[in-house]
């Protein structure tokens, strides 16, 4: 488990480095009127072509070499990140606790490794609800007199694990909306929720439920088994 936790932290470090380099490049170019869409994929694909364009030629020549060096560092950070993810997936595949967590819908090797790195021993939480509260996946509650409001999520706890769970929930929502997993109670619940709530609200609610299921799987030592109707 400790090896998986260490590899997860290394992967998170490389992800932050690539994000910092990409944001710096995008910000410097924006100061000279060159606006690029968000996302590392857009930057990696469009920047080589941009450097050969007349718009880049208008950038002061003193910056050309520095920007090219930043771009090389950005590409190198992406390669390090990809290799770190491959190592993490291999290590998670050898860890029995990570294999248990992968049985939960919306949790892959990366999310399982992030769960182990952030949570450690799931038994330190009294319930799955306690884990979801710690992760910041529960709404804030405001009460005044006879009125009760549920506000946005609190965003406490581990930001990276919360983001991974929400991304996993969004992926599962797309599959559920396509009608996959008929008879699965979780899929039926998610489809009914999508009919009542906006997609992002439903994704956070599903991430909350996934976190609680993951807690039960980690505590019981048994893989996830949906109860079919």
């Amino acid at each position: 488990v400790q090896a998986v936790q260490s590899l997860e932290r290394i992967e998170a470090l490389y992800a932050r480095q690539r994000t910092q380099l990409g944001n710096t490049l995008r910000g410097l170019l924006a100061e000279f009127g060159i606006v690029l869409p968000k996302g590392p994929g857009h930057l990696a694909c469009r920047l080589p072509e941009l450097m050969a364009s007349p718009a880049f030629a208008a950038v002061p020549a003193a910056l050309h070499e520095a920007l090219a060096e930043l771009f090389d560092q950005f590409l190198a950070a992406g390669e390090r990140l990809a290799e770190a993810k491959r190592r993490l997936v291999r290590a998670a595949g050898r860890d029995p606790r990570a294999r248990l967590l992968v049985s939960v819908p919306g949790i892959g090797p990366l999310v399982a490794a992030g769960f182990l790195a952030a949570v450690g021993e799931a038994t330190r939480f009294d319930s799955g609800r306690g884990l979801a509260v710690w992760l910041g996946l529960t709404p804030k509650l405001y009460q005044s007199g006879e009125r009760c409001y549920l506000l946005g999520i609190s965003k406490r706890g581990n930001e990276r694990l919360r983001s991974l769970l929400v991304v996993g929930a969004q992926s599962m929502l797309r599959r559920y909306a396509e009608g996959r997993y008929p008879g699965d109670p979780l899929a039926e619940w998610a489809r009914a929720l999508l009919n009542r709530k906006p997609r992002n609200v439903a994704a956070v609610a599903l991430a909350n439920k996934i976190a609680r299921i993951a807690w039960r799987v980690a505590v019981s030592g048994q893989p996830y088994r949906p109860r079919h109707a």
Side-chain angles (χ1 to χ4, degrees):
V1 176
Q2 188 174 4
V4 174
Q5 292 174 340
S6 300
L7 288 172
E8 197 277 336
R9 294 189 180 102
I10 293 172
E11 190 268 343
L13 172 64
Y14 289 156
R16 288 195 301 270
Q17 289 177 345
R18 186 182 66 166
T19 300
Q20 291 170 354
L21 289 167
N23 289 342
T24 301
L25 272 170
R26 191 177 290 106
L28 290 173
L29 291 171
E31 292 183 5
F32 297 96
I34 301 175
V35 179
L36 293 173
K38 294 181 180 180
H42 293 293
L43 195 60
C45 292
R46 297 186 58 177
L47 201 53
E49 179 183 355
L50 176 65
M51 287 182 172
S53 66
F56 189 76
V59 176
L63 279 176
H64 287 188
E65 184 178 350
L67 290 173
E69 183 179 345
L70 275 179
F71 182 59
D72 290 340
Q73 293 181 12
F74 172 79
L75 293 178
E79 294 174 359
R80 291 196 300 269
L81 177 60
E83 180 58 32
K85 286 183 177 179
R86 287 191 288 269
R87 286 196 299 263
L88 185 57
V89 169
R90 290 195 298 267
R94 294 190 295 266
D95 190 288
R97 293 166 63 181
R99 289 199 299 269
L100 279 176
L101 290 171
V102 170
S103 68
V104 180
I107 293 185
L110 291 179
V111 185
F115 185 94
L116 292 177
V119 177
E121 293 293 337
T123 52
R124 67 192 183 98
F125 294 97
D126 294 333
S127 64
R129 174 179 288 185
L131 172 61
V133 171
W134 179 78
L135 285 172
L137 287 170
T138 53
K140 296 178 181 178
L141 177 64
Y142 174 79
Q143 287 181 311
S144 176
E146 297 180 353
R147 299 191 177 188
C148 177
Y149 300 98
L150 290 178
L151 307 177
I153 58 176
S154 63
K155 295 186 179 180
R156 297 178 179 177
N158 189 289
E159 179 181 356
R160 177 172 170 78
L161 179 56
R162 182 175 61 251
S163 300
L164 290 173
L165 286 170
V166 171
V167 170
Q170 290 172 337
S171 175
M172 293 307 298
L173 277 180
R174 287 193 292 270
R175 300 180 187 182
Y176 292 153
E178 294 170 358
R180 302 188 191 181
Y181 310 103
D184 186 342
L186 183 60
E188 299 297 336
W189 174 85
R191 279 192 283 268
L193 186 63
L194 274 174
N195 293 331
R196 307 192 311 269
K197 299 291 184 181
R199 180 171 290 271
N200 287 339
V201 174
V204 174
L206 181 58
N208 182 318
K209 192 171 284 290
I210 289 173
R212 295 166 72 166
I213 294 173
W215 175 87
R216 171 56 62 185
V217 166
V219 170
S220 66
Q222 299 295 324
Y224 171 73
R225 295 187 181 93
R227 298 191 303 272
H228 292 281

